Amino acid sequence: MRIIILLLLSMISFGSFADDGYRLWLKYDLIKNETLRKNYAQKLTTVSTNFSDETAKVTISEIQKATSGLLGFTSKTMTSASQANLVLKVGSIANKNAEAFEIISSKNQINITANTSKGVLYGVFELIRRMQTLASLENIKIASAPKIQLRMLNHWDNNNGTIERGYAGMSMWKWYELPERIDPRYIDYARANASIGINGTVLNNVNASARFITSEYLGKVKALADVFRPYGIKVFLSVNFASPKILGGLKTADPLDPEVKQWWKNKADEVYKLIPDFGGFVVKANSEGEPGPMDFGRTHKDGANMLAEAMAPHNGLIIWRAFVYNFDPKGDRFAAAYNEFKRFDGEFHANIIIQVKNGPIDFQVREPISPLFGAMEKTPVSMEFQLTQEYLGWATHWVYEAPMFEEVLKTDTYAKGQGSTVAKVIDGQLFKYPLTSMIGVANTGSDRNWTGHPMAQANWYTLGRMAWNHEITSAQIADEWVKMTFRTDAKSTETIKKLMLESREIYTNYTNPLGVHHVMGESHHFGPEPWVEKAPRPDWTALYYHRADSIGIGFDRTEKGSNSVAQYHLGLRNKYSDINTIQPEFLLWFHHAPWTHKLQNGKTVWDEMVTRYYEGVKSAENMQKDWASLKGKIDSETFENVEARLKTQLKEALWWRDASVVYFQKYSKMPVPSPYQKPTRTFEELKSLVDVYHVR
Ligand code: GCU
């Protein structure tokens, strides 16, 4: 009877029986195991803090939410630590990192101690995670500190409410309501981020409207900064390099012009007067049509240093993006960022971070690492991952990205001999970077469940967890996330985890096997369009990348080709250079492989490609079957949502497979190997599907 009442209570407190995904992984549903619940309850009946800032308030409020949901009662606050079960303390711990925390539990007491209130908040979320995953609270002895300083989301949101490459509705930021009205969603956003250690947010698109730094908008930005501050989250803005012209009416935005310099100094002063802990500016310059220092005959170094000078008195950062590529008919886009930035290593001011996308092209489902990781010894480079699934099937394909991030972070750059992994570059170990950062291009929007595809919430979760500790594996992250999000039986938990862990490879197989890349729809980036041979720029076509002809397929980046592989240190270069030993997943990134070239498994390139397309589709079918086994085991709203999306995914996977096989067969002139059946749809039919899907 008590259980039923408690269950009812917990349902009432969440407003409805169905789970619409709004609560993300912070689901505080009643723990059904009474013994466990009692055991937790003993340790959380009362709570005390020795600090009383804004963070203390949100920390207590979170504990109370968690206890009332998970345990059916609300922890009482006590003034004295000796009377409390849960003792939250700002003090001095061994690790001096401002965000570090310790959790120590004895028989009836849990102590969470940190150097700052923010550290305590992170410790509290760790404790709550333990309860949500039904872990023991006995004899805990945890000391935790983030490996990366700045752990951020970058929203590609525009001031008119649209989101560049957003697939989960419109922007969450209601600029027209700000600063007066604070949408409660902003608070839940901050809670979710804090729970996974995210401590920064770039509010707007890298293709930045200058409007964001007008006085009008800064007032709105301040309102958001005030909401996020107690949760330890700093606000950043992307800026338009031409702002002195656009907003200031100056004749130029030349970074060496004294008036321009002064304009930015004044702007920085204005920002910091309003938001003293403002994080900094993110800049996309001279890339894809955005203005930048090169418009005035200057360099990226000149531009970044000028802005850094304006921000330095306020300890503000300049995050300068390395995503630059000018079309060079004889060149290889792959090499552009390295060519542009390597030569300035050591010449950037101390408050500059060069933000590098994980791969050299653009967030493809599998890319070799950017050669800039391991190349910049004296300038901090940071990691930019993409959570929004621009090239990963938008919101209809289930792709758990953690395995991809893990693959990137574990790649050895060989910069200082074996073991010089990307993780060690970006966490600062390898070159002793004083600044470190990892960002994810956000996949959030106004959709009730935040991310459109319910399973894409896991990618947001991953970013925070991996930035905090890149040694935790994708499997561990999946385990936590599934337990927190679904709290279902062990078998169903395993089924969901298996689906997650396989999903990226499945998507790769039916879209980009063997390292095929950039063959998606032109400009909208949805579905297959390997036949795109003309675009406003040759390096926006598919042909530029796959180079299929009667002999073979793939981009030769070895010595015989563009030689971009030379940008890597020898150890990695060797791994990619030999067509006979390269890992098949990267083959067509570096070699123009003959269709008949034999892989190590004895199959020709053509047969292996076709096999992967077909097996990928088969796996997408199996995903549906596995998912069906979860009926009744998880909430029906989520179940049906994912079930429907998996149907669409299969339809689109078949499109990818057929379009790719039919198109590439024009060049290979080889048969579809048995047991697979040749696609029945014609090339024309497959091509016209782009319009059927209404993505243009
Ligand atoms: C991709 C994406 C653009 C985005 C750009 C960037 O090219 O398609 O929409 O602006 O990346 O990262 O700057």
Side-chain angles (χ1 to χ4, degrees), residues 123-361:
V124 162
F125 274 117
E126 176 66 38
L127 183 75
I128 295 175
R129 178 163 30 247
R130 292 203 150 228
M131 292 197 282
Q132 283 185 274
T133 55
L134 312 182
S136 163
L137 299 188
E138 304 298 327
N139 303 317
I140 307 179
K141 220 172 174 258
I142 300 176
S144 182
K147 292 203 194 302
I148 289 176
Q149 295 159 8
L150 198 55
R151 307 170 298 277
M152 285 222 280
L153 290 184
N154 191 342
H155 294 272
W156 284 359
D157 293 20
N158 301 313
N159 55 314
N160 65 2
T162 58
I163 305 179
E164 175 140 355
R165 312 301 180 185
Y167 313 104
M170 300 292 281
S171 174
M172 296 183 291
W173 320 130
K174 297 182 177 170
W175 297 111
Y176 51 94
E177 293 179 358
L178 285 162
E180 289 81 12
R181 180 174 178 268
I182 300 299
D183 189 325
R185 193 173 188 131
Y186 305 150
I187 297 164
D188 288 325
Y189 167 84
R191 288 176 54 227
N193 279 328
S195 77
I196 51 176
I198 287 179
N199 63 0
T201 178
V202 190
L203 296 174
N204 63 319
N205 193 353
V206 286
N207 300 317
S209 158
R211 202 163 164 196
F212 281 99
I213 50 168
T214 57
S215 307
E216 174 207 4
Y217 264 72
L218 288 176
K220 299 169 189 280
V221 171
K222 175 194 167 6
L224 288 176
D226 290 345
V227 174
F228 300 155
R229 187 171 299 109
Y231 294 91
I233 299 166
K234 278 190 183 181
V235 158
F236 290 69
L237 287 174
S238 297
V239 293
N240 185 306
F241 197 79
S243 296
K245 279 169 81 180
I246 302 170
L247 302 177
L250 302 191
K251 282 196 291 298
T252 178
D254 180 349
L256 301 193
D257 182 284
E259 276 189 75
V260 170
K261 289 185 180 183
Q262 193 56 48
W263 190 90
W264 281 110
K265 283 199 173 125
N266 294 347
K267 190 46 81 179
D269 293 347
E270 184 187 346
V271 170
Y272 281 92
K273 211 167 154 207
L274 275 174
I275 312 166
D277 58 352
F278 181 76
F281 291 149
V282 176
V283 194
K284 172 177 179 178
N286 291 116
S287 165
E288 301 185 328
E290 291 302 311
M294 282 149 141
D295 302 346
F296 311 96
R298 312 297 180 194
T299 64
H300 284 287
K301 180 189 81 176
D302 298 330
N305 284 346
M306 180 276 293
L307 286 177
E309 264 171 44
M311 299 294 268
H314 310 284
N315 295 319
L317 293 177
I318 293 300
I319 300 185
W320 194 270
R321 294 176 83 230
F323 181 67
V324 298
Y325 60 106
N326 272 333
F327 181 64
D328 165 5
K330 286 195 233 91
D332 174 1
R333 173 175 166 190
F334 185 112
Y338 180 102
N339 287 341
E340 204 51 68
F341 285 89
K342 169 71 183 160
R343 62 197 162 119
F344 296 128
D345 188 18
E347 296 178 37
F348 290 99
H349 286 357
N351 54 336
I352 295 175
I353 301 179
I354 304 296
Q355 182 167 293
V356 182
K357 291 189 181 181
N358 59 275
I361 301 296

Side-chain angles (χ1 to χ4, degrees), residues 553-567:
I553 178 170
F555 198 132
D556 187 352
R557 294 189 165 107
T558 68
E559 257 179 339
K560 293 184 277 88
S562 73
N563 203 25
S564 296
V565 75
Q567 294 185 336

Side-chain angles (χ1 to χ4, degrees), residues 434-449:
L435 299 171
T436 58
S437 143
M438 186 193 284
I439 79 112
V441 179
N443 59 353
T444 49
S446 60
D447 276 8
R448 181 69 190 158
N449 73 1

